[in-house]
Amino acid sequence: MRILLTGSSGWLGRTLAPRLRRAGHDVTGLDVAPGAATDVIGSVCDGALVARVLAEHGIEAIIHAGGLHKPDIVRAMRQDFVDVNVTGTLTLLEAALAAGHDRFVFTSTTSLMISEAIRAETGEATFWLDESTGPLAPRNIYGVTKLAAEGLCRLFAREHGLACVVLRTGRFFPEEDDSDRGLTGPNLKANEFLNRRLTVEDAAEAHLAALDRAPSLGFGLYVVAAPTPFRRSDAAELCRDAAAVVARLYPDATDLYAARGWRLPSRIGRVYDAALAERDLGFRCRTTFATILDALREERDLPFAHDPAYASPWATHSAGGVYR
């Protein structure tokens, strides 16, 4: 299949493109910044460019992995988020419809599910988040525009029959996070595989599964994260003493962590449940918290990326220019 991959120079795109090619697909990468997987430099906001690329390359399906992300809030205007994440998605959907495509895969985010109340994590029980969570109240322009783009995908599936799959991915970025700075980066990332993270490799594989299943689904929306070892009945204890719950499930976790100078989480305020993606897409993340403990036990490299110096290709290429 001939596929247009947007965001091909990004962290996900550069990982997804070679996997698509190994699966036998012909990939054309589109991004505003150059990269090894990028064939066309340009913006999803440029309707004429998108139409030309689809025609010249005989594109049969689109994976829309490009867009502005949470770290871009500090360097982009709100209008940029609307232009790229909303209008850009609409441009691609209209182009896919005009070209007669039968599938469209959109990379969304679990971030749009996090209201201020959930983010505060001050409740007496862990929030259990899945596709039924709502009403949604995104707390920043990133979440607002991603939710709007999801709505466009749903609209095109319902009104035009364009099969759309939306993937609300958990965290897979390599850079440092802006929370819980009392932990080292790798320690924090390892902890997050209990409830909210996945590897970029698993994120890429989820897109392959979505591409394959889209026509049979019509419309599908899925949370994508490493499978949590917790049950809903753990919710109260996870807020009181998460480390005790983890130690009960993984008896040597405390010692393995101590050997690295790491700490288990004392409190877990939210859990992403990816069970629906496993059921409908036949997809399950390969890297889990148990995988990380195996690496610690066997003194192997950690199975996830951590790079505090990472910056998006757009940020390094444009040094603060506009996104269109």
Side-chain angles (χ1 to χ4, degrees):
M1 182 174 291
R2 292 183 293 275
I3 297 169
L4 175 66
L5 172 63
T6 71
S8 51
S9 295
W11 184 245
L12 174 60
R14 72 180 72 171
T15 305
L16 177 54
R19 280 171 163 73
L20 288 166
R21 293 188 175 110
R22 285 198 296 270
H25 299 295
D26 184 352
V27 181
T28 298
L30 171 67
D31 204 300
V32 293
T38 296
D39 306 283
V40 180
I41 303 296
S43 171
V44 294
C45 300
D46 187 340
L49 172 66
V50 169
R52 185 170 70 250
V53 171
L54 264 59
E56 291 179 354
H57 294 266
I59 299 298
E60 299 169 288
I62 295 175
I63 298 179
H64 182 24
L68 296 189
H69 304 285
K70 181 183 174 185
D72 296 313
I73 291 175
V74 300
R75 52 183 172 256
M77 299 178 66
R78 285 188 290 270
Q79 186 62 54
D80 291 322
F81 276 88
V82 174
D83 291 344
V84 176
N85 290 354
V86 182
T87 305
T89 302
L90 177 60
T91 298
L92 291 166
L93 285 164
E94 290 180 331
L97 183 65
H101 292 178
D102 70 345
R103 69 197 74 188
F104 186 98
V105 178
F106 174 60
T107 311
S108 190
T109 173
T110 53
S111 178
L112 62 79
M113 303 166 68
I114 310 305
S115 64
E116 288 294 347
I118 294 174
R119 187 172 188 268
E121 298 189 350
T122 57
E124 295 183 358
T126 294
F127 288 96
W128 201 270
L129 305 175
D130 60 18
E131 295 78 6
S132 67
T133 298
L136 300 179
R139 68 187 189 280
N140 54 40
I141 190 65
Y142 170 52
V144 167
T145 53
K146 281 291 191 177
L147 183 57
E150 287 187 1
L152 289 171
C153 291
R154 189 186 300 272
L155 181 69
F156 271 68
R158 184 180 69 245
E159 293 191 350
H160 303 290
L162 176 60
C164 295
V165 176
V166 173
L167 300 180
R168 287 183 182 169
T169 60
R171 296 180 171 193
F172 57 80
F173 52 77
E175 62 262 41
E176 294 283 7
D177 186 40
D178 58 2
S179 62
D180 202 350
R181 295 187 179 278
L183 298 180
T184 63
N187 185 175
L188 179 59
K189 286 183 171 63
N191 287 355
E192 289 179 340
F193 277 86
L194 288 162
N195 66 312
R196 64 188 299 185
R197 182 169 281 275
L198 70 161
T199 65
V200 67
E201 292 83 6
D202 279 332
E205 293 295 336
H207 284 71
L208 283 166
L211 182 72
D212 181 60
R213 296 289 180 94
S216 64
L217 293 170
F219 177 81
L221 186 153
Y222 302 99
V223 170
V224 183
T228 181
F230 306 129
R231 298 171 297 179
R232 289 178 184 262
S233 57
D234 295 321
E237 190 177 1
L238 286 171
C239 278
R240 293 195 308 268
D241 190 354
V245 181
V246 176
R248 187 164 64 243
L249 294 169
Y250 306 99
D252 64 343
T254 302
D255 290 340
L256 290 170
Y257 263 48
R260 283 230 174 187
W262 286 6
R263 288 188 286 116
L264 290 170
S266 59
R267 176 187 177 91
I268 291 177
R270 73 188 84 158
V271 168
Y272 298 144
D273 185 345
L276 187 63
E278 185 169 353
R279 188 193 75 188
D280 286 6
L281 301 180
F283 171 78
R284 180 183 176 91
C285 290
R286 295 182 62 183
T287 299
T288 66
F289 186 70
T291 310
I292 294 166
L293 293 183
D294 286 342
L296 295 178
R297 199 176 292 116
E298 298 166 16
E299 299 182 347
R300 292 185 282 106
D301 291 340
L302 293 170
F304 59 84
H306 175 67
D307 181 5
Y310 176 80
S312 71
W314 179 88
T316 56
H317 176 68
S318 66
V322 295
Y323 281 79
R324 21 178 163 60

